[in-house]
């Protein structure tokens, strides 16, 4: 009797448990598709499970995270990749830097727009058809000194205020950047190296210079823009026009610091960590531009030139070229001399009738390369760099005295005073070369209160 009672007591719960297991099994089986194995439906496929674990381990090995994370783009930078299908809509401001990301698929406002155009907040837009990894930034933000601006990625129908104009004109150097753009190099000319000291650049406009007109130039690491071929060898001091022309080539060039240069180095403690080398930027059709960068480039150039040159009161720049030689050293020095560097900038502006050029000398630490008699440690002594212009073909030249090829070349950073800046010099160069009347002023007479 006691045994029968025990069996009855324990048999009832077992039947309940058995029924529950049957219900659970049937619900799991109902979730299995026709093409799915039993092991997959219940997560019992050991091979797949091991592969997934291995894959997760490999991905997490580099991120240090348990679950995968999505890396955000740099502050103020827009990263557009045509292979990416989905992005999260986000628009936030942090420490004065605007971060913009977007979703070209889920945004209902984009349904009626062409597939190759994505509109960003605050008037930003970017064409991505046929382009990969286009990176641009708002150049007026904190990343401006590193990332390339672009007319399609700037504020449209921009109105420049007097306060903003005064702010941008208070800076000595014009814009140049080493990141962003198609190859993430910005304006930096990676092709210019010791084995290739110059690159060819075409213009979509006519540049009047010294009575001639050019639609191209060659950018040289040696501190000049060249338009025609040079002679095989130079002797020092340099004399232009070349005396043996036409037996020897007489080059047409604009020389801001005509000397044998090489790309130097900067210490890690330097404030400006943009890469040493040559930077080149062309801005066209400035008179018709309505984007922020185009408007500010035009107005900055216009007022700098109008106030810096007599007779330029009506000048309105149409095209601009900005070339910067950053931290260039001299040829022939010892390894440690690579830290002995000069930084200077050339800014060309033209309306295809008149042409003006600005020379900005930020820093001069050496004056001569070793072939011209300079020493191997500091690049001093011998014949200093040539500063000036040559028309080419034996027609005429202009040497900027008293600085060119003399010990006074170091004074280029302290004199000039065009627009109130020590180190800024300006010339009209479309026909006969005319220097600014401010070019010989000493530093003590400079006045930044324009």
């Amino acid at each position: 009797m006691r045994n029968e009672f025990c069996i009855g007591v324990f048999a009832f719960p077992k039947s309940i448990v058995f029924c529950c297991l049957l219900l659970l099994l049937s619900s799991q089986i109902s979730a299995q598709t026709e093409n799915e194995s039993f092991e997959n439906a219940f997560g019992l496929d050991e091979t797949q499970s091991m592969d997934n674990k291995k894959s997760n381990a490999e991905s997490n090995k580099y991120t240090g995270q348990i679950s995968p994370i999505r890396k955000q783009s740099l502050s103020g930078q827009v990263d557009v990749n045509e292979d990416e299908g989905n992005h999260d809509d986000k628009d936030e401001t942090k420490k004065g830097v605007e971060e913009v990301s977007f979703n070209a698929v889920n945004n209902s406002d984009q349904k009626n727009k062409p597939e190759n155009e994505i509109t960003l907040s605050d008037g930003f837009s970017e064409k991505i058809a046929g382009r990969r990894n286009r990176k641009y930034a708002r150049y007026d933000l904190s990343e401006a000194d590193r990332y390339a601006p672009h007319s399609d990625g700037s504020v449209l129908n921009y109105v420049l205020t007097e306060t903003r104009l005064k702010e941008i004109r208070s800076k000595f150097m014009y814009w140049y950047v080493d990141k962003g753009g198609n190859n993430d190099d910005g304006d930096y000319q990676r092709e210019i190296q010791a084995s290739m000291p110059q690159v060819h650049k075409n213009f979509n406009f006519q540049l009047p210079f010294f009575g001639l007109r050019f639609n191209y130039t060659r950018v040289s690491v040696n501190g000049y823009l060249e338009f025609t071929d040079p002679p095989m060898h130079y002797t020092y001091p340099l004399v232009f026009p070349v005396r043996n022309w036409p037996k020897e080539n007489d080059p047409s060039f604009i020389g801001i610091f005509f000397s044998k240069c090489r790309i130097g180095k900067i210490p890690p403690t330097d404030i400006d960590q943009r890469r040493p080398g040559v930077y080149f930027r062309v801005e066209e059709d400035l008179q018709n531009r309505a984007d922020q960068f185009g408007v500010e480039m035009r107005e900055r150039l216009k007022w700098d030139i109008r106030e810096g040159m007599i007779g330029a009161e009506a000048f309105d720049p149409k095209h601009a070229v900005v070339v910067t030689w950053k931290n260039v050293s001299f040829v022939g020095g010892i390894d440690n001399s690579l830290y002995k560097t000069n930084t200077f900038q050339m800014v060309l502006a033209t309306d295809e009738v008149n042409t003006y050029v600005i020379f900005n000398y930020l820093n001069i630490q050496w004056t001569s390369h070793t072939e011209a008699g300079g020493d191997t440690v500091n690049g001093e002594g011998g014949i200093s760099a040539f500063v000036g212009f040559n028309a080419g073909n034996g027609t005429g030249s202009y040497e900027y005295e008293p600085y060119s090829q003399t010990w006074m070349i170091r004074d280029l950073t302290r004199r000039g005073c065009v627009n109130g800046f020590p180190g800024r010099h300006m010339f009209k160069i479309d026909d006969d070369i005319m220097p600014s009347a401010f070019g010989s002023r000493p530093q003590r007479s400079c006045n930044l209160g324009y």
Side-chain angles (χ1 to χ4, degrees), residues 198-211:
Q198 67 180 25
V199 292
H200 183 94
K201 299 290 183 179
N202 290 321
F203 299 145
N204 292 321
F205 56 88
Q206 296 289 319
L207 179 71
F209 170 63
F210 229 141

Side-chain angles (χ1 to χ4, degrees), residues 279-290:
Y279 294 76
F280 180 87
R281 168 169 288 272
V282 176
E283 292 296 331
E284 301 175 349
D285 300 320
L286 292 174
Q287 294 176 356
N288 299 321
R289 295 270 289 273

Side-chain angles (χ1 to χ4, degrees), residues 99-125:
E99 298 184 1
V100 183
S101 61
F102 46 88
N103 188 326
V105 177
N106 297 327
N107 192 341
S108 60
D109 294 337
Q110 304 295 335
K111 291 182 179 180
N112 297 326
K113 292 184 178 291
E115 294 181 356
N116 65 338
E117 181 176 357
I118 297 176
T119 301
L120 309 181
S121 61
D122 294 333
F124 280 69
S125 65

Side-chain angles (χ1 to χ4, degrees), residues 65-78:
Q65 302 290 332
I66 296 176
S67 60
I69 60 173
R70 178 185 176 187
K71 296 181 179 179
Q72 295 181 352
S73 59
L74 292 173
S75 299
Q77 179 183 351
V78 179

